[in-house]
Amino acid sequence: MTADPAQKDLSKTAYDHLWMHFTRMSSYENSPVPTIVKGEGTYIWDDKGRKYIDGLAGLFVVQAGHGRAELAEVAAKQAKELAFFPIWSYAHPKAVELAERLANYAPGDLNKVFFSTGGGEAVETAWKLAKQYFKLIGKPTKYKVISRAIAYHGTPQGALSITGLPGLKAPFEPLVPGTHKAPNTNIYRAPHYLEGPDGTVDPEAYGRWCADQVEEAILFEGPETVAAVFVEPVQNAGGCFPPPPGYFQRLREICDRHDVLLVSDEVICAFGRLGTMFGADKFGYVPDMITCAKGMTSGYSPIGATIISDRIAEPFYKGDNTFLHGYTFAGHPVSSAVALANLDIFEREGLNQHVLDNESRFLGTLSKLRDLPIVGDVRGNGYFYGIELVKDKVTKESFNEEETERVLYGFLSKALFDNGLYCRADDRGDPVVQLAPPLIANQSTFDEIEQILRASLTDAWAKL
């Protein structure tokens, strides 16, 4: 017989039974598990009644903010009418409406929507689709993928293979063969030989160099073997690397030249995170596929999608050709209904424009932290920023392994939370603090975030 939940110690129960994701479980053997019980606007509360800024929108998800009763009501209404039906050879109205709406938002001829339940599944879908596409058009040797160093693309076996973080992949190897890496667009860590006489790097020249490294990887592997290039508009892992000017235009040319599909992984960057419905819109390029999830419903129900160009979909719409792939809960009626209502909020409240109007203020507020000796770089776009931490601003020397463990994990992550800010302090690449609040955040939110960061980072510097 189970105990009354109201009388339980939730923290102990969490440690005993809830295997938390990407979590060092031993950390909670003798300390409480943080337990969040409520959200409203840009704030969350724990089970002790403490209030925090949600500086990461949950996990780059809660675009419209917490506590949107109308989204909960839409979910309940849809569940009463049709709680579930698969889209395996059948349709239901909300999936049809959402597919049409996403196609209307998407750039170019990206008019076909293949639903999943999350971002990793959307990436997995895109790679499988690319491989079968080339088989159907008589190019069966094109199956490889080029992605970027330190990039994160998901946890399924295929998506994890595309991921560029060796530490995340090592426990699960061997993975799916055929994935190869090119440099990312971290201009702060650009190779010294690209610096001019004054020690700076020209952004346009750097963008061309980064794109040309992708072409070099394609040529090295053989264009007849490469199916796709997977890139995020602003790369998440490593700390929010925006693209240099001209980078995506050059990348589009390279992919077209070698008959390689360009996949824009927008699981984080879509739905307003950069101030546009899709990140490709922000940087002026048209990919062959877009993968997306997270902000589509603002997290009120899970959903993901791969949006595909008519050109890539065309051979699948002929004869007995079939894409033998799918997910039970993909295009779920409740999730589809919530997504539509969430997108209504975007349009009614002008969330994208709100981000565009305020992104420079957010960046400017965070950039005040550059006066701290521990802050090496502040970068990003829209409502998506990373603060890279260093031990020496002049040489850009990073933390060593012991310092990362002691300062980043042993102190800073907890200090930020204890001071009232939920965000991410991570070392996937170099030590970085990431900020991505709900899109309703304003200057008062930015100021509060900056004040908490200033106090916490000052204390962290003293621990080095």
Side-chain angles (χ1 to χ4, degrees):
M1 183 174 179
T2 57
D4 179 355
Q7 298 176 350
K8 278 188 174 184
D9 179 346
L10 278 182
S11 176
K12 170 107 176 31
T13 305
Y15 178 74
D16 288 344
H17 300 295
L18 178 63
W19 198 332
M20 290 169 282
H21 298 197
F22 284 95
T23 299
R24 190 181 296 180
M25 292 301 294
S26 63
S27 300
Y28 297 116
E29 184 177 5
N30 298 304
S31 61
V33 176
T35 304
I36 305 303
V37 298
K38 176 187 171 184
E40 186 67 36
T42 58
Y43 294 95
I44 53 175
W45 284 260
D46 68 14
D47 57 346
K48 303 295 189 294
R50 290 198 60 197
K51 179 182 178 182
Y52 308 85
I53 300 172
D54 183 356
L56 207 62
L59 195 62
F60 317 104
V61 171
V62 191
Q63 315 296 62
H66 296 277
R68 292 278 190 168
E70 65 187 277
L71 297 182
E73 291 162 3
V74 164
K77 180 182 176 184
Q78 180 59 46
K80 290 177 183 177
E81 185 174 306
L82 179 67
F84 173 76
F85 205 78
I87 52 173
W88 298 43
S89 300
Y90 296 84
H92 58 76
K94 295 305 180 186
V96 173
E97 290 175 40
L98 181 58
E100 180 185 36
R101 193 156 180 180
L102 294 177
N104 289 337
Y105 286 142
D109 70 337
L110 276 72
N111 290 312
K112 303 294 190 290
V113 179
F114 193 99
F115 285 116
S116 56
T117 60
E121 290 177 355
V123 170
E124 199 83 2
T125 297
W127 191 10
K128 290 178 73 174
L129 185 65
K131 288 196 281 189
Q132 188 176 354
Y133 165 76
F134 281 114
K135 285 182 172 61
L136 290 176
I137 66 168
K139 298 181 178 182
T141 62
K142 290 175 77 71
Y143 70 92
K144 296 176 184 175
V145 165
I146 309 297
S147 57
R148 300 187 296 195
I150 317 178
Y152 176 82
H153 291 285
T155 56
Q157 291 282 300
L160 185 59
S161 302
I162 296 171
T163 289
L165 292 157
L168 289 188
K169 300 161 71 166
F172 311 107
E173 291 173 332
L175 293 170
V176 182
T179 61
H180 305 274
K181 306 297 175 286
N184 55 51
T185 59
N186 182 6
I187 195 168
Y188 182 69
R189 296 286 178 184
H192 290 300
Y193 61 79
L194 295 177
E195 294 176 356
D198 61 353
T200 63
V201 178
D202 176 71
E204 289 191 21
Y206 179 65
R208 186 176 184 89
W209 178 85
C210 289
D212 286 349
Q213 299 309 296
V214 175
E215 182 170 40
E216 187 174 302
I218 292 171
L219 293 171
F220 183 82
E221 293 301 319
E224 72 283 359
T225 72
V226 179
V229 170
F230 280 68
V231 288
E232 299 162 272
V234 175
Q235 183 173 313
N236 169 40
C240 305
F241 305 145
Y247 173 79
F248 276 110
Q249 289 67 37
R250 176 69 172 164
L251 202 56
R252 180 72 270 180
E253 293 171 4
I254 289 167
C255 288
D256 289 343
R257 181 180 308 127
H258 299 295
D259 194 18
V260 170
L261 306 185
L262 178 57
V263 182
S264 190
D265 183 356
E266 305 204 12
V267 173
I268 288 176
C269 291
F271 308 112
R273 183 51 53 194
L274 306 181
T276 49
M277 202 57 80
F278 292 105
D281 298 326
K282 187 74 175 279
F283 300 116
Y285 65 98
V286 179
D288 297 294
M289 288 186 264
I290 291 174
T291 57
C292 57
K294 293 187 183 290
M296 196 190 309
T297 64
S298 285
Y300 286 73
S301 193
I303 200 167
T306 306
I307 310 174
I308 303 119
S309 74
D310 289 335
R311 177 176 72 91
I312 306 308
E314 192 263 346
F316 292 90
Y317 278 63
K318 289 183 175 180
D320 61 358
N321 293 337
T322 304
F323 186 36
L324 297 174
H325 176 68
Y327 302 100
T328 299
F329 294 107
H332 192 281
V334 174
S335 295
S336 297
V338 171
L340 288 163
N342 179 58
L343 295 171
D344 287 344
I345 291 173
F346 266 76
E347 295 184 0
R348 186 174 68 245
E349 298 185 10
L351 291 186
N352 285 333
Q353 190 59 49
H354 178 75
V355 172
L356 294 176
D357 290 343
N358 287 280
E359 63 178 336
S360 61
R361 297 186 182 97
F362 191 13
L363 176 58
T365 303
L366 294 177
S367 293
K368 293 177 183 178
L369 298 166
R370 289 180 181 271
D371 67 347
L372 298 178
I374 199 172
V375 173
D377 193 27
V378 180
R379 56 181 178 253
N381 196 278
Y383 272 27
F384 187 32
Y385 292 100
I387 301 168
E388 183 168 336
L389 309 181
V390 294
K391 312 238 233 186
D392 188 315
K393 290 169 79 87
V394 175
T395 65
K396 304 181 184 179
E397 182 183 1
S398 191
F399 300 174
N400 62 34
E401 190 173 335
E402 184 275 331
E403 290 162 340
T404 296
E405 185 67 30
R406 176 167 50 85
V407 177
L408 195 69
Y409 293 118
F411 173 76
L412 187 57
S413 290
K414 187 175 186 302
L416 287 165
F417 193 66
D418 288 346
N419 289 334
L421 175 61
Y422 164 73
C423 61
R424 170 179 277 177
D426 201 1
D427 71 333
R428 297 179 189 182
D430 295 294
V432 170
V433 175
Q434 282 185 290
L435 289 309
L439 307 186
I440 59 173
N442 55 29
Q443 187 62 50
S444 65
T445 316
F446 309 153
D447 290 339
E448 196 173 353
I449 288 172
E450 190 270 341
Q451 290 161 15
I452 295 172
L453 284 168
R454 180 170 293 276
S456 303
L457 292 173
T458 299
D459 290 344
W461 177 253
K463 304 264 183 206
L464 267 177

